[in-house]
Amino acid sequence: MNNVYTTCHSSEYDIRLAMEEASRCLLCYDAPCSKACPAETKPDQFIRAIRFRNFKGAAEIIREANVCGGSCAVVCPAGKLCEGACLRKEIDKPIEIRKLQQFAVRQEMNHGMQILTNLSATKKAKVACIGSGPASLACAAKLAQSGYTVEIFEANAKAGGMLSYGIPPARLSQEIVDWDIKTVTNLGVKIHLNTRVGTDVSFTELESKFAAVFVGCGLWQGRDIGLAGVELEGVIDAVDFLVAARASLGAGVQVAKNVVIIGAGDTGMDCAATAKLLGAENVTVVCNQEEIPAYHEELEYVQRMGITVVTKYQPQRVIGTNIAEGVFSTHQDGYSELKLKAEQVILAVGQIKREDGLPAVVAANGKVFAAGDVVNGGSTVVEAVKQGKLTAATIIEFLAKGE
């Protein structure tokens, strides 16, 4: 079961295919693909490098712009961003930029390239980052490259935030996440694992020890949508389900015969695919919208697995006495009803920040900064990288005033 569970559904390019695909690039002068990348990963430049067999150069371009370039190459909604902006689509189809980025990162990994190397701190100021998700990793890397000592405090046993805990291995392998993290630690950034701010170390202690504090702790608590019956046994929040499944790679995680996912975003699709791969016979995704919010590739993936996606139905209650037995939903037409059997119900309706007081501190303290999902309410990995980089620039400007 574990081998099936950890199989990625994205095929990789070999050298021949990568160079052939790169040769399709029109080498646009204004590079709309690069303009469309929030993290400024510069696809026009790394595609050109691949085209001329300069694979190390391609990896350098990606990594210097985006320390989470490996993870972004897998989970980024390229169809809405760089590939969506590609002018080649006016001729036949867009350049498969995401696969080319995956190829360049795989070359980097296979050959053990050390793109970003350890730097000696040249500035006296030290910065703390709370959380080790993509926003914190991007922020920490930029600060380290600017000569600052950076320490990351992570509550979990593994770094990476939602990259390590919220995205199933079938979609994003831990090997790639770990390589991205290693890129950051290679810069001299220290990560304290199993260290929860507020419990293992106080926020006041961080304020006194560090010249600036970055909060990038993400969203880990499920949103309450007022659905009746959520207290029943068998009902679980999406993040809790994915964390449990990923932490054990499927070993010991029980899924029911019939599973209903409420919510059809990327997280909902991740839950659906994970439940199916772990042995659920019948998996149904229920969405109250007409348009599926999930990225189309993820929707196609779950549909190929035989997972049913139902739209325009609003879940009203989880049926059952003590244990979940099903989900009752009503259609937008005000007449049609849907009753689905389900011994397990997964709530994928969005996350909110945990009530740990950290976000409130940001507004009250000039030396505390925040970015990522904890600020924007939940977005893409590449957007978190962008915000982490921008916030690092703000922190550098702030610290420069005190030097």
Side-chain angles (χ1 to χ4, degrees):
M1 180 66 70
N2 286 350
N3 289 335
V4 175
Y5 182 58
T6 56
T7 299
C8 182
H9 62 270
S10 177
S11 58
E12 293 185 350
Y13 279 149
D14 57 20
I15 292 176
R16 180 181 63 82
L17 288 175
M19 293 185 67
E20 285 182 359
E21 184 64 16
S23 69
R24 293 178 58 242
C25 179
L26 299 175
L27 304 177
C28 302
Y29 175 75
D30 58 348
C33 59
S34 289
K35 290 181 179 179
C37 177
E40 299 180 333
T41 313
K42 304 174 183 176
D44 67 313
Q45 294 186 24
F46 73 70
I47 290 173
R48 188 189 299 266
I50 293 172
R51 183 172 184 157
F52 294 101
R53 208 182 178 90
N54 182 7
F55 305 143
K56 186 174 188 295
E60 288 174 344
I61 292 166
I62 294 167
R63 194 60 67 181
E64 288 172 359
N66 183 354
V67 292
C68 296
S71 299
C72 284
V74 178
V75 301
C76 183
K80 297 179 182 179
L81 299 172
C82 57
E83 292 180 14
C86 178
L87 295 182
R88 181 77 199 200
K89 68 182 179 182
E90 304 298 331
I91 300 174
D92 41 29
K93 63 178 183 177
I95 304 299
E96 293 192 313
I97 298 172
R98 193 168 67 167
K99 284 191 175 182
L100 288 174
Q101 185 169 329
Q102 291 173 18
F103 168 80
V105 171
R106 181 57 63 180
Q107 291 293 308
E108 176 192 15
M109 296 172 65
N110 289 346
H111 296 283
M113 300 178 192
Q114 297 276 324
I115 304 299
L116 304 181
T117 55
N118 195 335
L119 302 174
S120 298
T122 58
K123 308 291 179 62
K124 292 182 179 180
K126 297 193 298 183
V127 181
C129 293
I130 301 174
S132 62
S136 279
L137 292 174
C139 181
K142 187 172 181 65
L143 288 167
Q145 288 173 299
S146 299
Y148 293 97
T149 298
V150 185
E151 296 183 32
I152 295 176
F153 296 83
E154 169 57 52
N156 294 308
K158 186 180 290 292
M162 285 295 177
L163 297 177
S164 291
Y165 288 96
I167 304 175
R171 187 174 170 211
L172 176 63
S173 74
Q174 190 63 46
E175 178 191 20
I176 292 175
V177 177
D178 289 344
W179 184 263
D180 284 348
I181 294 168
K182 185 174 183 292
T183 300
V184 179
T185 56
N186 280 347
L187 289 168
V189 175
K190 184 176 182 179
I191 302 179
H192 303 274
L193 300 174
N194 297 306
T195 307
R196 181 179 293 279
V197 176
T199 303
D200 302 302
V201 60
S202 70
F203 192 86
T204 301
E205 184 179 345
L206 294 186
E207 284 185 291
S208 62
K209 183 179 178 181
F210 295 91
V213 179
F214 173 84
V215 179
C217 49
L219 304 174
W220 292 83
Q221 183 172 315
R223 187 183 302 278
D224 181 8
I225 58 172
L227 183 68
V230 294
E231 74 284 353
L232 297 176
E233 183 181 340
V235 180
I236 185 172
D237 179 70
V239 172
D240 292 337
F241 174 73
L242 291 172
V243 167
R246 177 145 194 158
S248 61
L249 293 181
V253 176
Q254 298 297 317
V255 294
K257 177 181 179 181
N258 302 289
V259 179
V260 168
I261 317 293
I262 297 177
D266 288 338
T267 300
M269 298 305 165
D270 285 343
C271 290
T274 299
K276 190 71 173 179
L277 289 169
L278 290 179
E281 292 185 17
N282 304 303
V283 180
T284 305
V285 178
V286 180
C287 175
N288 65 352
Q289 299 169 260
E290 183 174 1
E291 295 292 331
I292 301 294
Y295 180 49
H296 69 89
E297 186 177 272
E298 301 310 316
L299 174 61
E300 291 175 358
Y301 177 51
V302 301
Q303 289 178 328
R304 288 198 302 269
M305 297 175 74
I307 294 170
T308 301
V309 180
V310 180
T311 61
K312 298 199 288 187
Y313 272 92
Q314 175 66 55
Q316 299 296 330
R317 67 178 182 275
V318 179
I319 304 167
T321 305
N322 296 313
I323 302 174
E325 299 175 5
V327 175
F328 174 75
S329 305
T330 56
H331 196 275
Q332 290 179 4
D333 61 16
Y335 180 82
S336 305
E337 298 177 345
L338 178 66
K339 187 177 180 181
L340 295 169
K341 185 176 183 180
E343 302 84 23
Q344 189 170 38
V345 179
I346 302 174
L347 306 176
V349 291
Q351 290 79 46
I352 60 174
K353 50 182 174 280
R354 285 175 175 158
E355 296 303 320
D356 52 15
L358 291 179
V361 176
V362 178
N365 194 322
K367 66 184 293 185
V368 182
F369 305 81
D373 287 356
V374 73
V375 173
N376 62 33
S379 186
T380 60
V381 174
V382 70
E383 184 64 29
V385 170
K386 170 190 174 181
Q387 292 191 11
K389 289 169 62 177
L390 289 174
T391 305
T394 302
I395 294 173
I396 292 170
E397 184 179 347
F398 166 76
L399 294 175
K401 295 177 181 178
E403 293 176 354

